Amino acid sequence: MNGNFDLKYQALFRKYYPNLIFYATRIVGDEEAEDVVQDVFVELWKRKDSIEIGEQIQAFLYRAVYTRSLNVLKRRNIADGYCNALEDINQRRAAFYHPDNNDVIRRIENQELRKEILGAINELPEKCKEVFKLSYLHDMKNKEIADLMGVSLRTIEAHMYKALKYLRSRLEHLMLLLLLFLMK
C-alpha cells in the first residue's frame, strides 16, 4: 500500500505543485508561497496511512493551501503590527482566493491547460505548426493558407492531418478536460 501511495503522491506533486505555488503566491506573496505549499505536501505525507487519495484531493490541496496561507497572513499581521487598513486588504485578498471561488481556481487551471496546449503546438514540425496556427489561431480557410504559402490545397490538408493526429495523441490525457473547458 505504501508503494502505491508513494507513486500517487509523486504524481500529485508533479500535477498540482506549480498551480498551488501560483495560488499561494496570490495570497501570501512570493517569499512564503513555496513554504506554504511544501507544508501542505509534508502534512499529506505524514497522513499517508490515514488519507485516501481520490477525486477530492484537488479540493483538499487548495483548501489546505488556503488555510495555511491565512495562518501566514495572521502571523504576519501580528508580527508586523499591521494597521487596520492593511489587515483589511489581506482579508479581502484571502476572501477573493478562497477555494470556493471556483472562477479563480478555474482561471489558474485554464492558464495551465493553455500553456500545455501551446507547448504541444510548438512541438509540431515547422510547416505543420505554421499551417495549424493559420487555421486555428487566425481562422483562415485551407484554400487561403494554400494561396498565402504558395502550395497546393492537398499539401495544406496533409499538414493539417499530420498536426491534428500529433496533437490528438500528445494531448490525449487532456481531452476530457478540454471538453469540459470548451463546454463552459
Side-chain angles (χ1 to χ4, degrees):
M1 158 118 189
N2 273 355
N4 191 19
F5 182 87
D6 291 356
L7 291 175
K8 285 182 180 180
Y9 183 85
Q10 290 171 10
L12 279 178
F13 189 86
R14 278 194 301 275
K15 181 176 181 180
Y16 292 113
Y17 190 80
N19 292 355
L20 292 171
I21 291 285
F22 184 81
Y23 178 58
T25 301
R26 297 295 165 270
I27 303 171
V28 297
D30 286 335
E31 291 156 19
E32 294 175 275
E34 198 161 354
D35 289 341
V36 166
V37 176
Q38 285 176 357
D39 286 349
V40 167
F41 277 99
V42 166
E43 187 61 34
L44 181 65
W45 183 261
K46 285 179 183 175
R47 294 179 170 189
K48 67 182 174 183
D49 295 327
S50 63
I51 197 163
E52 183 64 35
I53 296 178
E55 296 171 12
Q56 300 300 319
I57 196 68
Q58 179 180 356
F60 168 81
L61 290 171
Y62 275 99
R63 191 164 296 282
V65 166
Y66 178 76
T67 302
R68 291 210 182 255
S69 295
L70 285 186
N71 290 338
V72 166
L73 291 178
K74 285 177 191 168
R75 278 196 314 273
R76 191 186 292 168
N77 287 344
I78 292 167
D80 296 348
Y82 274 24
C83 64
N84 289 339
L86 225 42
E87 192 171 326
D88 185 51
I89 289 169
N90 280 338
Q91 286 174 351
R92 288 174 193 271
R93 182 190 302 159
F96 179 76
Y97 285 108
H98 192 282
D100 291 343
N101 187 348
N102 290 331
D103 287 342
V104 174
I105 302 299
R106 196 174 302 123
R107 235 177 281 138
I108 290 169
E109 297 296 328
N110 289 348
Q111 284 176 339
E112 290 299 314
L113 180 64
R114 200 171 298 120
K115 191 176 5 173
E116 195 160 347
I117 292 169
L118 289 175
I121 291 170
N122 285 327
E123 292 171 3
L124 289 169
E126 213 46 51
K127 290 290 182 193
C128 283
K129 179 174 30 175
E130 186 179 352
V131 169
F132 184 84
K133 284 183 172 182
L134 289 171
S135 178
Y136 281 91
L137 304 180
H138 299 288
D139 208 24
M140 291 177 73
K141 304 277 184 251
N142 286 353
K143 177 75 175 113
E144 295 171 324
I145 298 170
D147 292 343
L148 178 72
M149 294 178 74
V151 296
S152 73
L153 181 59
R154 189 166 286 244
T155 301
I156 297 302
E157 290 168 349
H159 282 307
M160 283 301 294
Y161 174 80
K162 187 176 179 182
L164 289 171
K165 183 178 175 186
Y166 174 79
L167 292 173
R168 198 172 292 123
S169 69
R170 169 69 170 71
L171 299 171
E172 187 176 42
H173 66 286
L174 294 178
M175 283 311 187
L176 180 61
L177 219 70
L178 198 53
L179 287 174
L180 295 172
F181 177 71
L182 295 173
M183 288 169 48
K184 291 177 185 169

